[in-house]
Amino acid sequence: MSLILTHIAEGIGSITLNYQIKRNALAAAMVDEIATALADFTQQGVRVAILRAEPGARVWSAGHDVDELPENGVDPLGWQDPLRTLIRAIEAFPAPVIALIEGSVWGGACELVFACDLIVATPGASFAATPAKLGVPYNASGLLTFLNVAPAHIARELLFTAKPMTATRLERLGIINHVIAAEELEAFTHDLARAIVQNSPLVVSVMKEQLRILAGAQALSPQDFERLQGLRRVVYRSRDYREGIRAFREKRKPTYLGE
Ligand code: YXS
């Protein structure tokens, strides 16, 4: 069974997450299908991509597949990790990606949505960034995604509390482009996509890549980089990291000891 559905019309390519049995968790298999779809969209000259869950979804995506998080002291969000690979695929896709959000968005799926070029959502959609809740040491480029879209205090509130924030609040903060009633969301999103499709695809594509490079332009000394990685290693080798994953699997609240 395919974990996504795809459709192309009028230069607009749609990818629909279709893995509700695991609440659209971003499993490696699903990420591979999305990457294949994006490559096909590039081949077909798609000028805008829309990334969505099935209409009316209660959960847009439950984030990283927890069953694929390593417990043996290995970096859980290394370069080859499915979530990291997916974020880079969205950023590298040579046309704008619009995230169409209904339902709740969790963990790494928040970063996935924030890495898209535009976000439209229903008023009831929510976003919960969960590294602190699961004991996961988020990675530097992932934290930069949050800092590039959210004011620092909002990024900290999202990440430190791990509590859901509504699309309505995030729109007020300029993090979400439009909050639209569910019954109008699809038509609104396609109108937005058509407005982009009618412009020069070369200019739009080049500006997307220029903006990606500029957004990632952060001076970081080798010493700072090593400090960042060392801090993360302390976490993913900790008892708390293993406790977070086990508690999720055992469907119980984790007990964190700070070690
Ligand atoms: O028990 P079964 O086998 O039916 O499976 C259940 C869940 O275990 C499974 N599932 C997941 N499996 C792997 N990874 C996930 N992220 C995940 N989420 C859910 O799907 C089946 C149905 O889930 P259930 O019964 O809980 O559904 P629900 O409708 O009652 O609740 C939906 C959610 C999304 C509220 C609930 O599933 C949930 O809280 N999921 C975890 C959300 C979360 O904390 N995600 C963060 C994952 S870690 C991550 O993204 C990053 C590494 S980080 O944490 O650093 O941001």
Side-chain angles (χ1 to χ4, degrees):
M1 177 197 84
S2 180
L3 302 179
I4 65 169
L5 304 171
T6 61
H7 177 70
I8 298 176
E10 303 172 74
I12 301 167
S14 293
I15 294 174
T16 302
L17 306 182
N18 185 40
Y19 191 27
Q20 260 310 321
I21 195 166
K22 260 196 155 180
R23 301 298 181 267
N24 290 336
L26 301 172
M30 179 194 265
V31 169
D32 286 348
E33 290 190 27
I34 296 171
T36 303
L38 291 174
D40 177 49
F41 284 5
T42 304
Q43 279 289 334
Q44 308 257 352
V46 159
R47 294 188 177 183
V48 176
I50 295 172
L51 181 63
R52 61 171 305 163
E54 64 284 6
R58 204 169 41 77
V59 178
W60 192 85
S61 171
H64 200 297
D65 187 328
V66 175
D67 297 329
E68 296 181 355
L69 286 174
E71 282 190 69
N72 53 354
V74 169
D75 184 345
L77 292 174
W79 182 260
Q80 298 298 344
D81 170 77
L83 174 65
R84 304 314 326 149
T85 307
L86 180 55
I87 299 285
R88 292 196 301 271
I90 295 291
E91 291 173 338
F93 182 66
V97 180
I98 303 176
L100 186 163
I101 310 300
E102 295 177 274
S104 54
V105 183
W106 300 83
C110 290
E111 187 199 345
L112 169 61
V113 173
F114 293 163
C116 289
D117 299 285
L118 294 97
I119 308 169
V120 291
T122 59
S126 65
F127 297 78
T130 54
K133 182 174 153 194
L134 271 123
V136 173
Y138 221 64
N139 64 306
S141 60
L143 293 175
L144 193 57
T145 304
F146 282 89
L147 281 176
N148 280 339
V149 300
H153 288 145
I154 302 303
R156 287 183 173 86
E157 182 181 340
L158 270 167
L159 290 162
F160 294 170
T161 68
K163 287 195 175 311
M165 275 193 198
T166 64
T168 302
R169 179 169 180 214
L170 295 186
E171 182 198 35
R172 203 169 54 240
L173 294 162
I175 298 170
I176 285 182
N177 297 79
H178 300 278
V179 167
I180 303 290
E183 59 275 16
E184 296 156 25
L185 186 60
E186 183 140 356
F188 178 90
T189 306
H190 275 83
D191 286 346
L192 187 60
R194 284 190 200 98
I196 297 170
V197 165
Q198 69 188 2
N199 292 328
S200 157
L202 195 54
V203 169
V204 171
S205 179
V206 163
M207 279 198 293
K208 170 170 175 171
E209 179 61 359
Q210 288 173 299
L211 290 167
R212 183 194 68 78
I213 293 167
L214 292 169
Q218 302 284 333
L220 193 61
S221 71
Q223 204 175 29
D224 286 345
F225 174 74
E226 284 160 9
R227 170 113 174 98
L228 280 172
Q229 289 300 88
L231 287 167
R232 295 186 58 241
R233 201 171 300 121
V234 168
V235 177
Y236 65 72
R237 287 183 176 166
S238 70
R239 173 211 162 275
D240 278 2
Y241 170 68
R242 291 190 299 279
E243 164 64 6
I245 292 177
R246 286 189 192 142
F248 175 82
R249 288 187 180 142
E250 294 162 11
K251 300 188 188 292
R252 60 176 172 79
K253 213 166 150 38
T255 306
Y256 291 129
L257 305 176
E259 57 190 41

